[in-house]
Amino acid sequence: MSRPRRRAEKPVLSQELVVKTALELLAAEGIEAVSMRRVAQALETGPASLYAHVANKEELHELMVDHVLDFGPVPEPDPDRWAEQAKELLRENVRALTAFPGIAKISWAIPVPTGANALHQAEAMLAILRAGGLDLKQALFAADALWLYTKAYAYEGAGWQHGDIDVTVQEERGKQMYDYMKSFPPGAFPNLLASGEYFTAETAQERFEFAIDMFLAGLTRGHE
């Protein structure tokens, strides 16, 4: 007579497991599925057991963002390559914040990130900018502006990438705007009417790089 199979033991509940499970739900079902109750169900436990590791849904969301911002060791600031190092750190942030549906939206809602990875990245960016010749105040203001633009770019990009923005609706709006501008006397909007080819999915990365290059070039000129 065969013995009944023993059920596999559940992994020990931890903050890391809770966050990883939440990210799996996020990838599979979107941000609306990520609640303490839903994560508890996925872990085959009760919501109350999660509170020993995560205070509430808001903390869970912030931990999720911080988890995807783990890029490993950052490079030692190089005065000869500081601008490229800054760009690469910002590119990594865009990749991380667009990897999961909803992460960029959560990140945008966190005005002052306090997770370990976010703090390490902030310190790394400041060190890189200071290697480029900025004093602390200038580096802080520059980093703040760079992060804001990067988060906004990732937020919009994630909307297109994960279907939060309806492409069909936007195409129709674009056509309506074009037809409306064409209804004015010739010459009223020559630049806007010719801009369509430059605002496409294919130019998104180019537009990001242009903005960052322009910003960093301004910082460089200010210290020549």
Side-chain angles (χ1 to χ4, degrees):
M1 181 175 174
S2 61
R3 302 173 75 180
R5 284 186 182 178
R6 294 181 59 186
R7 188 176 182 180
E9 292 186 11
K10 291 193 296 185
V12 177
L13 200 60
S14 65
Q15 185 181 89
E16 181 180 6
L17 180 60
V18 172
V19 172
K20 285 185 175 181
T21 303
L23 286 169
E24 290 170 359
L25 279 172
L26 181 65
E29 302 179 29
I31 189 61
E32 299 303 323
V34 182
S35 66
M36 298 292 277
R37 181 177 298 278
R38 186 70 182 82
V39 173
Q41 289 175 349
L43 289 168
E44 299 182 353
T45 188
S49 64
L50 301 189
Y51 291 106
H53 307 282
V54 179
N56 49 43
K57 185 173 77 171
E58 288 70 30
E59 183 183 23
L60 175 60
H61 282 181
E62 186 161 358
L63 288 168
M64 291 163 65
V65 172
D66 204 60
H67 183 87
V68 303
L69 294 179
D70 182 7
F71 308 148
V74 295
E76 189 70 22
D78 184 347
D80 295 326
R81 295 188 62 255
W82 71 274
E84 184 56 39
Q85 287 181 321
K87 285 170 62 177
E88 184 53 37
L89 191 55
L90 297 172
R91 292 185 195 113
E92 289 283 1
N93 269 265
V94 171
R95 284 192 282 268
L97 295 177
T98 56
F100 292 87
I103 280 290
K105 183 177 182 179
I106 296 172
S107 177
W108 187 253
I110 302 172
V112 184
T114 59
N117 292 320
L119 292 175
H120 282 307
Q121 284 196 39
E123 181 63 33
M125 179 60 81
L126 290 173
I128 289 169
L129 292 173
R130 298 204 68 184
L134 278 66
D135 63 29
L136 180 57
K137 180 180 179 180
Q138 293 168 332
L140 285 166
F141 288 1
D144 181 58
L146 287 166
W147 289 129
L148 279 173
Y149 175 74
T150 300
K151 287 171 66 174
Y153 175 86
Y155 189 1
E156 183 181 60
W160 290 103
Q161 184 173 323
H162 297 293
D164 296 329
I165 297 174
D166 190 314
V167 176
T168 303
V169 170
Q170 295 308 312
E171 287 177 347
E172 180 59 29
R173 283 174 60 87
K175 182 179 181 303
Q176 290 173 353
M177 184 176 72
Y178 181 84
D179 291 342
Y180 178 64
M181 289 190 294
K182 288 287 287 184
S183 70
F184 282 78
F189 302 106
N191 295 300
L192 286 174
L193 286 169
S195 67
E197 65 178 299
Y198 300 108
F199 284 90
T200 67
E202 289 71 27
T203 66
Q205 185 65 30
E206 183 181 357
R207 285 182 273 122
F208 176 75
E209 296 285 336
F210 177 86
I212 298 301
D213 283 341
M214 182 173 60
F215 194 100
L216 293 174
L219 295 176
T220 302
R221 284 196 296 271
H223 287 79
E224 288 178 348

